[in-house]
Amino acid sequence: MKEQSWFKRFLAGIGIGVGAAIPGVSGAAVALIFRVFETIINAINNFTKHIRKSISTLLPILLGALVAVIICVIVFDWAFEHCMFILISMFSGFLIGSFPSITREVKGVEIKKSYIILAILGGLIVIGLGVASIILGTNGIDVSAYFTDAEEFFGNWWIIIVLFVVGIFAASGLTVPGFSASLMLLVLGFYRPLINSASTWGRQIVAFGNFDNALALLTMIGAFGLGILVGLVLISKLMAVLLAKFRNATYFTILGFVIGSFFVLYFNFQIWQYYLVWGGQNIAGINPTMKIDMEIPVGILLTGIFAFFSYMMVRAQANLQLKNKK
């Protein structure tokens, strides 16, 4: 049973890592779907009291997320350039099929007017982030020049401090279901620079044995990762308080966040650039493999397929839990 539980949390970590890497998808929402969200929050908040238990709980999740992020950095760098609409359609289908696992948290709860307002506000906040990513990205927020090589990176040392702060903001996507870490990075202008530099510098080391930018890569990951850890602790404590004192209100707000994320999946700066290329513009780093009249139907088909399999997975999980209770 312990092995099954460890493997289940490892798979949940992979899902969280993949979700965190896709603009508009919330890693915390994936954690909610795999029913490990409150487990993560509690483990982080009780870390100093129950260190061994917290480590055994978080370790498989962190390992799974790390494996997923490493793979995603390589795969998504190609997918964002050639077939981004298909990629987000697949994950959209996963979220649609898994939606009952989120609504289950408020099943049977008396629906108050205040809960509806909170859900609407939650949706509008997430949608607002998507709109902001397009407006700010279009108006030239670009820090990619600081990530061209080690000389440029260390020559602007303050970017290391900024990365730490950005990591704190990104942690919201790992602790607040419906908030997307990658979307936060898009809004702040750090998404593609981080993906591109990690992919390029990592490939230089692995494929060519070129370590010129190795220290810059480690420093970038370290500063950003440390910010995420600090953010996880701070925001997890806040979420623990909200869940303890205002559980229903919190989950209705989360429901709004998740609903808003369906819209943001198809409406953020990253996919917006993809649409512009479909419309005839030339944008560096984007070269769709399929034309619009082919990729959209394929994307819709994959949305349906992934929604079906995701729903069957959630249903099987619910039946298994019901069986175990008996």
Side-chain angles (χ1 to χ4, degrees), residues 16-30 69 126 129 133 165-192 194-195 224 228 232 235 261 264 268:
I16 292 168
V18 174
I22 299 177
V25 179
S26 167
V30 177
V69 168
V126 175
L129 286 173
S133 73
V165 177
V166 168
I168 294 177
F169 279 101
S172 63
L174 301 173
T175 46
V176 183
F179 265 61
S180 168
S182 49
L183 183 62
M184 292 295 295
L185 293 177
L186 274 174
V187 172
L188 297 170
F190 279 82
Y191 184 74
R192 281 313 290 263
L194 285 172
I195 291 287
F224 182 63
I228 288 179
L232 282 174
I235 303 172
S261 70
V264 171
N268 60 68

Side-chain angles (χ1 to χ4, degrees), residues 9-10 12-14 16 36 40 57-66:
R9 290 198 296 271
F10 178 75
I14 290 177
I16 292 168
V36 295
I40 295 172
T57 299
L58 294 172
L59 184 60
I61 297 173
L62 291 173
L63 285 175
L66 181 62

Side-chain angles (χ1 to χ4, degrees), residues 29 103 120 131 147 166 245 271-272 279 321:
T103 57
I120 293 173
V131 174
F147 295 87
V166 168
K245 295 185 176 181
I271 191 65
W272 183 254
Q321 288 176 341

Side-chain angles (χ1 to χ4, degrees), residues 94-112:
F94 170 76
L95 289 177
I96 291 170
S98 305
F99 198 64
S101 67
I102 300 173
T103 57
R104 189 186 305 152
E105 299 294 340
V106 293
K107 188 176 181 179
V109 174
E110 180 186 354
I111 300 178
K112 300 178 182 178

Side-chain angles (χ1 to χ4, degrees), residues 53-299:
K53 184 179 179 181
S54 294
I55 290 176
S56 65
T57 299
L58 294 172
L59 184 60
I61 297 173
L62 291 173
L63 285 175
L66 181 62
V67 169
V69 168
I70 291 173
I71 294 172
C72 288
V73 165
I74 299 170
V75 175
F76 287 3
D77 191 42
W78 180 88
F80 287 157
E81 179 177 352
H82 299 292
C83 57
M84 187 176 181
F85 187 83
I86 284 179
L87 179 68
I88 64 171
S89 294
M90 291 161 60
F91 222 93
S92 175
F94 170 76
L95 289 177
I96 291 170
S98 305
F99 198 64
S101 67
I102 300 173
T103 57
R104 189 186 305 152
E105 299 294 340
V106 293
K107 188 176 181 179
V109 174
E110 180 186 354
I111 300 178
K112 300 178 182 178
K113 187 183 293 185
S114 59
Y115 293 165
I116 296 174
I117 293 173
L118 285 172
I120 293 173
L121 286 175
L124 290 176
I125 288 171
V126 175
I127 291 171
L129 286 173
V131 174
S133 73
I134 293 175
I135 295 173
L136 295 175
T138 304
N139 287 325
I141 291 186
D142 185 9
V143 295
S144 58
Y146 305 118
F147 295 87
T148 53
D149 52 42
E151 183 179 354
E152 194 66 42
F153 182 78
F154 289 115
N156 296 276
W157 60 267
W158 52 268
I159 202 71
I160 300 172
I161 300 173
V162 174
L163 277 171
F164 172 76
V165 177
V166 168
I168 294 177
F169 279 101
S172 63
L174 301 173
T175 46
V176 183
F179 265 61
S180 168
S182 49
L183 183 62
M184 292 295 295
L185 293 177
L186 274 174
V187 172
L188 297 170
F190 279 82
Y191 184 74
R192 281 313 290 263
L194 285 172
I195 291 287
N196 290 342
S197 58
S199 178
T200 301
W201 294 346
R203 194 179 296 114
Q204 287 174 354
I205 295 171
V206 175
F208 305 106
N210 182 348
F211 290 85
D212 290 348
N213 296 312
L215 183 59
L217 176 62
L218 291 174
T219 304
M220 179 186 75
I221 294 173
F224 182 63
L226 184 60
I228 288 179
L229 287 176
V230 172
L232 282 174
V233 173
L234 295 176
I235 303 172
S236 291
K237 289 186 179 297
L238 175 62
M239 288 301 298
V241 172
L242 292 174
L243 288 170
K245 295 185 176 181
F246 312 102
R247 182 179 178 82
N248 292 337
T250 300
Y251 268 112
F252 270 96
T253 306
I254 287 172
L255 202 59
F257 289 157
V258 174
I259 293 172
S261 70
F262 285 112
F263 173 84
V264 171
L265 258 175
Y266 294 94
F267 197 78
N268 60 68
F269 179 65
Q270 196 67 41
I271 191 65
W272 183 254
Q273 288 190 305
Y274 202 82
Y275 296 153
L276 292 177
V277 172
W278 269 348
Q281 292 191 26
N282 291 318
I283 298 177
I286 299 178
N287 183 27
T289 302
M290 301 182 188
K291 293 183 178 180
I292 184 172
D293 57 354
M294 179 175 287
E295 188 165 354
I296 287 181
V298 171

